[in-house]
Amino acid sequence: MSTLVKQTLAGLRLLLVLTVITGVLYPAGVWALSRLPGLHDHAEAVDTTLVGVPREGDGWFHLRPSAATLPASGGSNKSQVNSDYDRVVADRRVEVARREGVAEDRVPQDAVTASASGLDPHISPAYADLQVPRVARERGLSERWVRKLVADHTSRRGLGFVGEVTVNVTALNRALTAGG
């Protein structure tokens, strides 16, 4: 038997073994482990605020646009020097300005640039502030109360200087559902 055939058969056997281990046994083992008493209640991503949950309608705060189509996650290959990307961002800016009833120059950058994964639940305080009048109007709430709700769901910088100040939209919309 030639060396090429021997190497090909060895590679195929290795592919089959690794496919069974990483594609069947490991996922099945992780799933079985998550079903053990005491772990099962913490194994599912239920009631998490770590993932952005988009809501339809004007009575909700909106997330950043997503470059991915759910349930997938992943970015696009378009950069700032891509004319298609520029057009998409401009179209989003017009849409957000129309929805919020403001001039296009008042629309924050994170309202029009996509989140790479589509899973990020955070927006800037400026984007949340822009949405307050619409959400309050649609839900029949006072703007003051909605602004307080936004403030309650705004994170601060760690140690006073690490990271960005953000608003968790998933937690904020959940609080709107619960009435505060």
Side-chain angles (χ1 to χ4, degrees):
M1 207 184 284
S2 75
T3 305
L4 178 63
V5 172
K6 287 180 186 179
Q7 288 179 345
T8 302
L9 290 175
L12 288 174
R13 281 192 302 266
L14 184 61
L15 175 66
L16 179 63
V17 168
L18 290 176
T19 299
V20 170
I21 291 171
T22 61
V24 178
L25 296 178
Y26 178 76
V30 169
W31 178 84
L33 187 64
S34 74
R35 298 300 179 238
L36 291 176
L39 293 179
H40 179 68
D41 294 337
H42 303 291
E44 303 296 330
V46 177
D47 293 334
T48 184
T49 58
L50 299 176
V51 176
V53 179
R55 303 276 183 114
E56 295 294 323
D58 287 339
W60 302 103
F61 283 89
H62 295 280
L63 296 161
R64 289 181 65 186
S66 173
T69 304
L70 293 177
S73 71
S76 75
N77 62 352
K78 295 184 172 121
S79 72
Q80 295 174 343
V81 296
N82 184 301
S83 61
D84 290 340
Y85 177 78
D86 291 340
R87 189 181 77 266
V88 167
V89 168
D91 291 347
R92 287 177 183 155
R93 188 172 308 282
V94 168
E95 175 61 26
V96 170
R98 183 201 56 76
R99 182 182 69 219
E100 304 303 339
V102 298
E104 290 179 33
D105 63 349
R106 289 213 35 229
V107 176
Q109 195 68 11
D110 64 320
V112 295
T113 55
S115 167
S117 69
L119 303 174
D120 185 9
H122 299 99
I123 61 173
S124 68
Y127 188 25
D129 186 56
L130 185 72
Q131 298 182 66
V132 166
R134 172 185 45 82
V135 171
R137 182 180 61 252
E138 290 293 320
R139 291 186 158 270
L141 303 169
S142 74
E143 280 190 37
R144 186 171 150 220
W145 186 83
V146 176
R147 285 188 197 288
K148 180 180 178 332
L149 205 57
V150 168
D152 291 345
H153 291 86
T154 301
S155 68
R156 303 291 173 223
R157 293 175 187 252
L159 302 175
F161 65 93
V162 178
E164 294 296 319
V165 176
T166 59
V167 179
N168 187 313
V169 175
T170 301
L172 181 57
N173 283 334
R174 210 174 272 162
L176 279 171
T177 301

